[in-house]
Amino acid sequence: MVKVIKEEFAVIGKEGSTSDGDGFIQKLWDDANGHFSEVAHLAKRDSNGGIVGIWGAMSDISRSFKPWEDRFSKGLYLAGVECVDHAEAPDGWTKWTIPGYEYIVVENHSGAFEETLGQMKEEGISLVGAVHDYTDPATGKGYLYFPIREV
């Protein structure tokens, strides 16, 4: 388990809720990817001009970035791109400003969520916020970010 500190950051994306039904996350990604040109200019970029991150950000229904409720079955999801802090979301897009946390970061694979929660429980580490999906645009690898401490 790798621990990283990530200061507050902003994501612009397509927002949906578990109440939208099965497959809603894939529909959000299809929508976001299909209209990416509308927000590409707002994406935060590294020194080589590459996009910093693609996020599947999550929050509880109250938008306070707490974990999904009812055994992680009820919450909000934002399929989007990390953006410059002052960016304004265009029509049809939503901007979330995610608080700074110390995260446990693990490579995303089948079972990674449950395994990491189990390991955290064994070590007495509490989840203090919603877990986020992160895709590294440079490698295409997916990671899960488990917030364990506010910064």
Side-chain angles (χ1 to χ4, degrees):
M1 286 195 301
V2 176
K3 291 181 182 176
V4 300
I5 291 178
K6 182 155 179 65
E7 301 293 337
E8 178 180 281
F9 66 103
V11 174
I12 287 181
K14 297 291 186 169
E15 182 184 284
S17 162
T18 49
S19 64
D20 296 336
D22 288 345
F24 86 98
I25 290 175
Q26 187 57 54
K27 289 176 188 161
L28 293 174
W29 280 115
D30 291 347
D31 189 10
N33 291 332
H35 296 94
F36 183 71
S37 62
E38 297 170 13
V39 295
H41 64 288
L42 302 172
K44 189 177 273 185
R45 297 182 183 270
D46 62 22
S47 58
N48 298 321
I51 291 171
V52 172
I54 304 296
W55 291 91
M58 295 182 229
S59 176
D60 63 327
I61 298 293
S62 74
R63 300 179 194 280
S64 57
F65 301 102
K66 296 295 180 215
W68 278 16
E69 299 157 78
D70 294 338
R71 295 190 189 131
F72 305 107
S73 67
K74 190 166 110 183
L76 301 175
Y77 190 94
L78 186 71
V81 63
E82 189 165 342
C83 63
V84 292
D85 296 338
H86 63 275
E88 298 282 331
D91 286 348
W93 293 82
T94 301
K95 179 180 175 181
W96 285 3
T97 300
I98 297 167
Y101 289 104
E102 179 179 9
Y103 292 94
I104 289 174
V105 180
V106 300
E107 197 164 331
N108 195 356
H109 59 82
S110 179
F113 184 81
E114 294 80 7
E115 288 170 19
T116 305
L117 285 179
Q119 191 172 353
M120 288 170 58
K121 188 173 182 178
E122 283 176 23
E123 296 181 22
I125 301 171
S126 297
L127 190 63
V128 299
V131 178
H132 304 298
D133 293 324
Y134 169 79
T135 301
D136 182 342
T139 64
K141 282 191 177 179
Y143 299 87
L144 294 173
Y145 275 61
F146 293 80
I148 58 170
R149 180 177 63 86
E150 291 183 45
V151 296

